[in-house]
Amino acid sequence: MLNIVESVLNEVHGELSTISHRLTTSFLKEMDERYIECTTTLTYSSGECLLRGRSLYKDEQAILARRTVSVLSVLLDNCESKCSAESYEKRFNELIGNIRRICTALETTNCSVLYSGFLLSITRLLTSIHRHTEIAAHIIDIAKVMISSRPMPVVADATLQLLSVVDECALCTGTVGNLRVDYDQGVLLYKKDSCHLQVLLKQVEVYIKCVESAYLYSETIQTTKCSLLLYNSCGGDSSGSEVRCECRCVLMQVIVYALLVCARFLGTISGDKDELISVCRSGVRILYESVLRDVEFGSQLGFNEGHLIELCEIIKRYEHQEIYLLMLSEISSIFQLCAEETSASYSQKTFVESFNTFSITD
C-alpha cells in the first residue's frame, strides 16, 4: 500500500512542478479570486467523503491522491498494534518527505484551494502516522507550509486539530510580522515573516464564521475545544514574556468569537444542549482567569469586546452554579464605565449663569 501511495504522491508532485514552470499572472489572479470565494462558503468533508470518487467542490484536483491517502489513513487507524519502528520508520520518513515537497509546491504555485481535499486527507494521515511513530517535528514543518499556502478554511480547522497532538506553540516565530485583514475583500493578507500561529488562528476564525452560517454546531464545538486546548498548552498568560508576538492575544480573540457562536447555538437548537453549555463554561473560566491577570484584557480584544459582552448576556440566561454567575459578573464589570469625578470647586449652576453676562464684542 505504501508503494501505491508514494507513486500517487509522485504524480501529484509532477503535476505541481509542471504548473510552477507555467505560472502566469492571470492564473495567480484566478487563484486569489478562488481563495476569496471559498472564505465566504463552507466546503465540509467528513472522513467518509474523502474516500469517495466524486469531487468535493468545483474543479477539485488530485482526487485519486486524496482517496489513496485516506485509505492508508484508515488502514493505519485500524491497525491493532503499533507498526514496527524498524520496518516502517524509514518508509514513513520517505512518505513524509514527499508530502513536504508537495506542500511546498502548493505554496509556490498558490493553488492550494484546488488541492484542499487532498490536504484534508494529508492531515488525517499525519495524525494516523503519529500514533505509530514520533513525527511531531515533521508535523510542525508541514503545518507551517500548509498554513502559508492559503488552503480552504476547512483545512485550517483540520490543521488546528492535527496540531493538538503536538506542541502548537512551536508555530510561533516570536515576531510580529505583517498580518492584517483586507476588509474590502474580507480575506487575510500576510507575508513570509508573519507568525504562523497567528495566520492559522485568523484562518480558523474564517472557518468558524462559515460554520455558523451553515448551522453546524457540532463542528463549532470541536473547533472551540481545540482552541481552548491550544490556550492551555501555550501556558495561557503571556505577561512577563519576552516574546513580542501577539499570537496569544489573537488566540483569545478567536476563543471569544468561538464561544459566542456556541452561545448563539443555544437558542437555535432544540436537542441536548449540555455539551454546548459545558464548552461555554470552560471558556468562561479561561476568560475569568484572564480578566484577573490583566487589567487591560478588555482593550486587547479590540472589536471582540462586543462579542464578549453579548456572550456574557446570553450565558446568563441559563442556569449555572453560583461560581459561574460570579465569574460572568466579574467579566462584565470590565466594561462598566464610571462617571468622571467632578472637582469639588466646580459648580454647574455658576457655570451656566456665567453665560447670562457673556457677550461678543468686535
Side-chain angles (χ1 to χ4, degrees):
M1 184 64 192
L2 287 175
N3 292 332
I4 297 175
V5 174
E6 289 179 356
S7 176
V8 172
L9 292 180
N10 288 331
E11 291 181 5
V12 175
H13 185 262
E15 293 175 4
L16 293 172
S17 298
T18 302
I19 294 175
S20 64
H21 289 94
R22 299 179 180 178
L23 281 179
T24 61
T25 304
S26 60
F27 176 80
L28 294 175
K29 183 178 180 181
E30 181 183 356
M31 291 300 101
D32 289 339
E33 293 174 351
R34 289 288 187 92
Y35 178 70
I36 294 172
E37 181 182 352
C38 77
T39 57
T40 58
T41 57
L42 177 66
T43 300
Y44 174 71
S45 300
S46 62
E48 294 181 357
C49 291
L50 296 177
L51 296 169
R52 296 174 182 172
R54 63 179 180 83
S55 299
L56 301 179
Y57 49 87
K58 182 180 178 181
D59 297 332
E60 181 188 4
Q61 302 297 310
I63 296 178
L64 176 60
R66 181 248 297 166
R67 298 179 66 195
T68 306
V69 171
S70 297
V71 170
L72 177 58
S73 176
V74 172
L75 292 176
L76 290 175
D77 288 340
N78 289 276
C79 185
E80 296 181 357
S81 59
K82 287 191 174 183
C83 299
S84 172
E86 297 179 357
S87 59
Y88 285 95
E89 184 175 0
K90 183 179 179 181
R91 299 298 302 276
F92 282 152
N93 288 334
E94 293 176 355
L95 186 64
I96 291 171
N98 288 333
I99 292 173
R100 185 186 293 108
R101 285 193 292 272
I102 291 175
C103 292
T104 302
L106 286 172
E107 181 185 17
T108 303
T109 56
N110 199 31
C111 59
S112 289
V113 172
L114 302 180
Y115 289 80
S116 290
F118 170 70
L119 291 177
L120 277 175
S121 63
I122 289 297
T123 59
R124 294 179 182 272
L125 176 61
L126 292 176
T127 303
S128 301
I129 294 177
H130 188 66
R131 295 193 182 103
H132 294 273
T133 182
E134 178 62 34
I135 59 168
H138 296 298
I139 289 178
I140 294 295
D141 292 339
I142 293 174
K144 288 181 178 180
V145 182
M146 289 176 61
I147 293 168
S148 301
S149 65
R150 292 198 313 179
M152 288 184 174
V154 66
V155 179
D157 177 69
T159 304
L160 179 64
Q161 297 185 35
L162 168 66
L163 292 171
S164 64
V165 301
V166 297
D167 182 15
E168 301 102 317
C169 294
L171 288 176
C172 178
T173 58
T175 58
V176 178
N178 294 290
L179 181 68
R180 67 183 181 89
V181 176
D182 184 349
Y183 289 102
D184 293 332
Q185 297 179 333
V187 297
L188 183 68
L189 301 179
Y190 52 89
K191 295 184 179 180
K192 296 293 184 180
D193 61 344
S194 299
C195 172
H196 289 90
L197 184 55
Q198 282 196 54
V199 175
L200 175 63
L201 291 171
K202 286 297 185 180
Q203 292 174 344
V204 170
E205 186 177 26
V206 173
Y207 170 78
I208 295 173
K209 293 178 181 178
C210 295
V211 169
E212 181 184 15
S213 301
Y215 298 100
L216 299 174
Y217 71 91
S218 297
E219 286 69 27
T220 306
I221 291 174
Q222 184 63 33
T223 303
T224 305
K225 287 181 177 179
C226 289
S227 301
L228 296 176
L229 288 174
L230 173 58
Y231 177 86
N232 291 328
S233 66
C234 289
D237 184 27
S238 60
S239 60
S241 174
E242 296 181 357
V243 177
R244 296 186 299 113
C245 185
E246 298 178 353
C247 56
R248 287 180 176 83
C249 181
V250 176
L251 172 59
M252 186 55 65
Q253 294 172 357
V254 174
I255 287 176
V256 168
Y257 181 69
L259 290 172
L260 173 60
V261 175
C262 289
R264 287 172 176 172
F265 278 129
L266 288 172
T268 58
I269 64 173
S270 57
D272 187 10
K273 303 179 181 180
D274 291 343
E275 189 174 10
L276 275 172
I277 294 178
S278 176
V279 171
C280 290
R281 287 173 177 169
S282 299
V284 166
R285 286 199 299 268
I286 288 179
L287 295 174
Y288 175 71
E289 293 172 359
S290 300
V291 168
L292 293 182
R293 279 197 298 256
D294 192 352
V295 294
E296 298 181 354
F297 173 75
S299 60
Q300 293 176 357
L301 292 178
F303 65 88
N304 289 94
E305 286 185 1
H307 293 160
L308 181 56
I309 295 174
E310 182 181 354
L311 169 65
C312 293
E313 293 301 319
I314 294 177
I315 297 180
K316 286 179 181 178
R317 301 171 189 169
Y318 298 88
E319 294 184 3
H320 305 283
Q321 296 179 359
E322 184 178 358
I323 183 64
Y324 288 104
L325 296 177
L326 293 174
M327 290 180 183
L328 289 170
S329 298
E330 185 69 25
I331 295 172
S332 301
S333 65
I334 65 176
F335 301 107
Q336 294 177 359
L337 300 179
C338 298
E340 296 183 0
E341 294 184 1
T342 305
S343 174
S345 61
Y346 173 79
S347 173
Q348 183 178 5
K349 182 178 180 181
T350 304
F351 175 74
V352 174
E353 290 179 350
S354 66
F355 283 92
N356 295 331
T357 58
F358 179 78
S359 64
I360 300 177
T361 59
D362 294 333

